[in-house]
mmCIF file of all heavy atoms in Angstrom:
data_model
loop_
_atom_site.group_PDB
_atom_site.id
_atom_site.type_symbol
_atom_site.label_atom_id
_atom_site.label_comp_id
_atom_site.label_asym_id
_atom_site.label_seq_id
_atom_site.Cartn_x
_atom_site.Cartn_y
_atom_site.Cartn_z
ATOM 1 N N THR A 92 44.149 113.718 109.821
ATOM 2 C CA THR A 92 45.121 113.312 108.770
ATOM 3 C C THR A 92 45.190 111.784 108.534
ATOM 4 O O THR A 92 45.662 111.441 107.589
ATOM 5 C CB THR A 92 46.509 113.784 109.139
ATOM 6 O OG1 THR A 92 46.878 113.247 110.476
ATOM 7 C CG2 THR A 92 46.514 115.333 109.207
ATOM 8 N N ASN A 93 44.747 111.107 109.463
ATOM 9 C CA ASN A 93 44.801 109.496 109.273
ATOM 10 C C ASN A 93 43.328 109.079 109.614
ATOM 11 O O ASN A 93 42.510 109.696 110.184
ATOM 12 C CB ASN A 93 45.684 108.907 110.222
ATOM 13 C CG ASN A 93 47.094 109.065 109.783
ATOM 14 O OD1 ASN A 93 47.506 108.939 108.532
ATOM 15 N ND2 ASN A 93 48.034 109.360 110.631
ATOM 16 N N VAL A 94 43.184 107.688 109.196
ATOM 17 C CA VAL A 94 41.802 107.205 109.348
ATOM 18 C C VAL A 94 41.652 106.502 110.691
ATOM 19 O O VAL A 94 40.533 106.728 111.358
ATOM 20 C CB VAL A 94 41.573 106.134 108.281
ATOM 21 C CG1 VAL A 94 40.202 105.421 108.447
ATOM 22 C CG2 VAL A 94 41.627 106.828 106.934
ATOM 23 N N LEU A 95 42.714 105.858 111.284
ATOM 24 C CA LEU A 95 42.621 105.188 112.609
ATOM 25 C C LEU A 95 43.345 106.069 113.653
ATOM 26 O O LEU A 95 44.500 106.543 113.246
ATOM 27 C CB LEU A 95 43.171 103.731 112.442
ATOM 28 C CG LEU A 95 42.527 102.925 111.440
ATOM 29 C CD1 LEU A 95 43.271 101.623 111.328
ATOM 30 C CD2 LEU A 95 41.034 102.739 111.742
ATOM 31 N N ALA A 96 42.843 106.152 114.854
ATOM 32 C CA ALA A 96 43.467 106.772 115.903
ATOM 33 C C ALA A 96 44.849 106.115 116.208
ATOM 34 O O ALA A 96 45.723 106.978 116.406
ATOM 35 C CB ALA A 96 42.570 106.736 117.127
ATOM 36 N N ALA A 97 44.946 104.777 116.052
ATOM 37 C CA ALA A 97 46.237 104.124 116.387
ATOM 38 C C ALA A 97 47.332 104.656 115.456
ATOM 39 O O ALA A 97 48.519 104.441 115.855
ATOM 40 C CB ALA A 97 46.078 102.741 116.327
ATOM 41 N N GLU A 98 46.978 105.222 114.345
ATOM 42 C CA GLU A 98 47.954 105.673 113.377
ATOM 43 C C GLU A 98 48.632 107.070 113.728
ATOM 44 O O GLU A 98 49.542 107.557 113.193
ATOM 45 C CB GLU A 98 47.317 105.794 111.959
ATOM 46 C CG GLU A 98 47.048 104.382 111.447
ATOM 47 C CD GLU A 98 46.191 104.455 110.158
ATOM 48 O OE1 GLU A 98 45.392 105.366 109.975
ATOM 49 O OE2 GLU A 98 46.363 103.572 109.361
ATOM 50 N N GLY A 99 47.956 107.696 114.716
ATOM 51 C CA GLY A 99 48.299 109.040 115.166
ATOM 52 C C GLY A 99 47.997 110.119 114.111
ATOM 53 O O GLY A 99 47.059 110.054 113.530
ATOM 54 N N GLY A 100 48.882 111.087 114.081
ATOM 55 C CA GLY A 100 48.624 112.269 113.189
ATOM 56 C C GLY A 100 48.040 113.399 113.883
ATOM 57 O O GLY A 100 48.009 113.620 115.090
ATOM 58 N N LYS A 101 47.303 114.258 113.070
ATOM 59 C CA LYS A 101 46.737 115.506 113.596
ATOM 60 C C LYS A 101 45.249 115.435 113.400
ATOM 61 O O LYS A 101 44.725 114.856 112.437
ATOM 62 C CB LYS A 101 47.304 116.713 112.876
ATOM 63 C CG LYS A 101 48.808 116.846 112.872
ATOM 64 C CD LYS A 101 49.177 118.152 111.994
ATOM 65 C CE LYS A 101 50.676 118.065 111.895
ATOM 66 N NZ LYS A 101 51.113 119.200 110.971
ATOM 67 N N VAL A 102 44.653 116.225 114.332
ATOM 68 C CA VAL A 102 43.153 116.533 114.121
ATOM 69 C C VAL A 102 43.006 118.060 113.993
ATOM 70 O O VAL A 102 43.534 118.713 114.994
ATOM 71 C CB VAL A 102 42.267 115.873 115.248
ATOM 72 C CG1 VAL A 102 42.755 116.233 116.594
ATOM 73 C CG2 VAL A 102 40.738 116.227 115.036
ATOM 74 N N PHE A 103 42.291 118.555 113.031
ATOM 75 C CA PHE A 103 41.983 120.006 112.973
ATOM 76 C C PHE A 103 40.550 120.129 113.417
ATOM 77 O O PHE A 103 39.689 119.557 112.730
ATOM 78 C CB PHE A 103 42.239 120.444 111.577
ATOM 79 C CG PHE A 103 43.720 120.515 111.094
ATOM 80 C CD1 PHE A 103 44.412 119.242 110.587
ATOM 81 C CD2 PHE A 103 44.542 121.564 111.314
ATOM 82 C CE1 PHE A 103 45.613 119.151 110.289
ATOM 83 C CE2 PHE A 103 45.812 121.557 110.868
ATOM 84 C CZ PHE A 103 46.360 120.352 110.420
ATOM 85 N N SER A 104 40.326 120.996 114.330
ATOM 86 C CA SER A 104 38.956 121.204 114.882
ATOM 87 C C SER A 104 38.587 122.704 114.583
ATOM 88 O O SER A 104 39.287 123.587 114.971
ATOM 89 C CB SER A 104 38.941 121.049 116.321
ATOM 90 O OG SER A 104 37.749 121.334 116.919
ATOM 91 N N PHE A 105 37.509 122.853 113.765
ATOM 92 C CA PHE A 105 36.997 124.089 113.420
ATOM 93 C C PHE A 105 35.632 124.502 114.247
ATOM 94 O O PHE A 105 34.708 123.780 114.271
ATOM 95 C CB PHE A 105 36.552 124.099 111.869
ATOM 96 C CG PHE A 105 37.601 123.671 110.932
ATOM 97 C CD1 PHE A 105 37.770 122.405 110.567
ATOM 98 C CD2 PHE A 105 38.714 124.619 110.570
ATOM 99 C CE1 PHE A 105 38.823 121.983 109.728
ATOM 100 C CE2 PHE A 105 39.716 124.222 109.800
ATOM 101 C CZ PHE A 105 39.734 122.912 109.362
ATOM 102 N N PHE A 106 35.792 125.684 114.873
ATOM 103 C CA PHE A 106 34.620 126.109 115.682
ATOM 104 C C PHE A 106 33.950 127.210 114.914
ATOM 105 O O PHE A 106 32.793 127.259 115.023
ATOM 106 C CB PHE A 106 35.201 126.803 116.911
ATOM 107 C CG PHE A 106 34.156 127.260 117.900
ATOM 108 C CD1 PHE A 106 33.329 126.447 118.578
ATOM 109 C CD2 PHE A 106 33.904 128.703 117.993
ATOM 110 C CE1 PHE A 106 32.202 126.956 119.375
ATOM 111 C CE2 PHE A 106 32.823 129.190 118.776
ATOM 112 C CZ PHE A 106 32.128 128.389 119.503
ATOM 113 N N HIS A 107 34.649 127.905 114.076
ATOM 114 C CA HIS A 107 34.010 128.951 113.258
ATOM 115 C C HIS A 107 33.904 128.457 111.879
ATOM 116 O O HIS A 107 34.700 127.644 111.332
ATOM 117 C CB HIS A 107 35.061 130.249 113.173
ATOM 118 C CG HIS A 107 35.150 130.874 114.466
ATOM 119 N ND1 HIS A 107 36.181 130.668 115.279
ATOM 120 C CD2 HIS A 107 34.409 131.732 115.095
ATOM 121 C CE1 HIS A 107 36.023 131.336 116.405
ATOM 122 N NE2 HIS A 107 34.992 132.052 116.331
ATOM 123 N N CYS A 108 32.876 128.791 111.215
ATOM 124 C CA CYS A 108 32.523 128.346 109.878
ATOM 125 C C CYS A 108 33.610 128.571 108.809
ATOM 126 O O CYS A 108 33.927 127.693 108.033
ATOM 127 C CB CYS A 108 31.170 129.031 109.429
ATOM 128 S SG CYS A 108 29.793 128.614 110.367
ATOM 129 N N ARG A 109 34.139 129.742 108.883
ATOM 130 C CA ARG A 109 35.158 130.205 107.902
ATOM 131 C C ARG A 109 36.190 131.053 108.584
ATOM 132 O O ARG A 109 36.025 131.593 109.673
ATOM 133 C CB ARG A 109 34.484 131.047 106.816
ATOM 134 C CG ARG A 109 33.561 130.219 105.913
ATOM 135 C CD ARG A 109 33.094 131.082 104.856
ATOM 136 N NE ARG A 109 32.319 130.162 103.938
ATOM 137 C CZ ARG A 109 31.662 130.660 102.943
ATOM 138 N NH1 ARG A 109 31.556 131.918 102.668
ATOM 139 N NH2 ARG A 109 31.003 129.797 102.125
ATOM 140 N N ARG A 110 37.356 131.216 107.910
ATOM 141 C CA ARG A 110 38.422 132.162 108.391
ATOM 142 C C ARG A 110 38.178 133.536 107.907
ATOM 143 O O ARG A 110 38.304 133.820 106.684
ATOM 144 C CB ARG A 110 39.793 131.632 107.859
ATOM 145 C CG ARG A 110 40.976 132.471 108.435
ATOM 146 C CD ARG A 110 42.218 131.985 108.074
ATOM 147 N NE ARG A 110 43.364 132.762 108.665
ATOM 148 C CZ ARG A 110 44.469 133.000 108.166
ATOM 149 N NH1 ARG A 110 44.659 132.619 106.848
ATOM 150 N NH2 ARG A 110 45.297 133.708 108.850
ATOM 151 N N GLY A 111 37.627 134.319 108.736
ATOM 152 C CA GLY A 111 37.149 135.663 108.204
ATOM 153 C C GLY A 111 35.949 135.411 107.267
ATOM 154 O O GLY A 111 34.909 134.759 107.703
ATOM 155 N N GLY A 112 35.947 135.875 106.109
ATOM 156 C CA GLY A 112 34.821 135.541 105.176
ATOM 157 C C GLY A 112 35.119 134.479 104.216
ATOM 158 O O GLY A 112 34.396 134.337 103.267
ATOM 159 N N SER A 113 36.281 133.870 104.292
ATOM 160 C CA SER A 113 36.747 132.924 103.185
ATOM 161 C C SER A 113 36.786 131.460 103.847
ATOM 162 O O SER A 113 36.825 131.360 105.058
ATOM 163 C CB SER A 113 38.240 133.197 102.808
ATOM 164 O OG SER A 113 38.289 134.608 102.310
ATOM 165 N N ASP A 114 36.797 130.472 102.905
ATOM 166 C CA ASP A 114 36.939 129.085 103.295
ATOM 167 C C ASP A 114 38.210 128.866 104.022
ATOM 168 O O ASP A 114 39.242 129.526 103.619
ATOM 169 C CB ASP A 114 36.680 128.173 102.138
ATOM 170 C CG ASP A 114 35.276 128.220 101.502
ATOM 171 O OD1 ASP A 114 34.400 128.531 102.284
ATOM 172 O OD2 ASP A 114 35.133 127.856 100.293
ATOM 173 N N TRP A 115 38.416 127.890 104.760
ATOM 174 C CA TRP A 115 39.591 127.431 105.335
ATOM 175 C C TRP A 115 40.435 126.867 104.198
ATOM 176 O O TRP A 115 39.940 125.930 103.523
ATOM 177 C CB TRP A 115 39.393 126.368 106.447
ATOM 178 C CG TRP A 115 38.730 127.122 107.672
ATOM 179 C CD1 TRP A 115 37.449 126.914 108.096
ATOM 180 C CD2 TRP A 115 39.354 127.822 108.626
ATOM 181 N NE1 TRP A 115 37.174 127.482 109.165
ATOM 182 C CE2 TRP A 115 38.308 128.176 109.714
ATOM 183 C CE3 TRP A 115 40.611 128.275 108.891
ATOM 184 C CZ2 TRP A 115 38.544 128.891 110.745
ATOM 185 C CZ3 TRP A 115 40.764 128.990 110.030
ATOM 186 C CH2 TRP A 115 39.780 129.427 110.850
ATOM 187 N N VAL A 116 41.726 127.139 104.028
ATOM 188 C CA VAL A 116 42.594 126.676 103.030
ATOM 189 C C VAL A 116 43.445 125.422 103.488
ATOM 190 O O VAL A 116 44.073 125.588 104.510
ATOM 191 C CB VAL A 116 43.636 127.847 102.507
ATOM 192 C CG1 VAL A 116 44.559 127.345 101.492
ATOM 193 C CG2 VAL A 116 42.780 128.992 102.099
#
Side-chain angles (χ1 to χ4, degrees):
T92 57
N93 285 316
V94 178
L95 303 173
E98 296 171 329
K101 301 174 186 175
V102 54
F103 292 84
S104 178
F105 304 97
F106 180 74
H107 297 96
C108 296
R109 293 182 171 177
R110 182 176 186 215
S113 302
D114 293 336
W115 294 101
V116 179

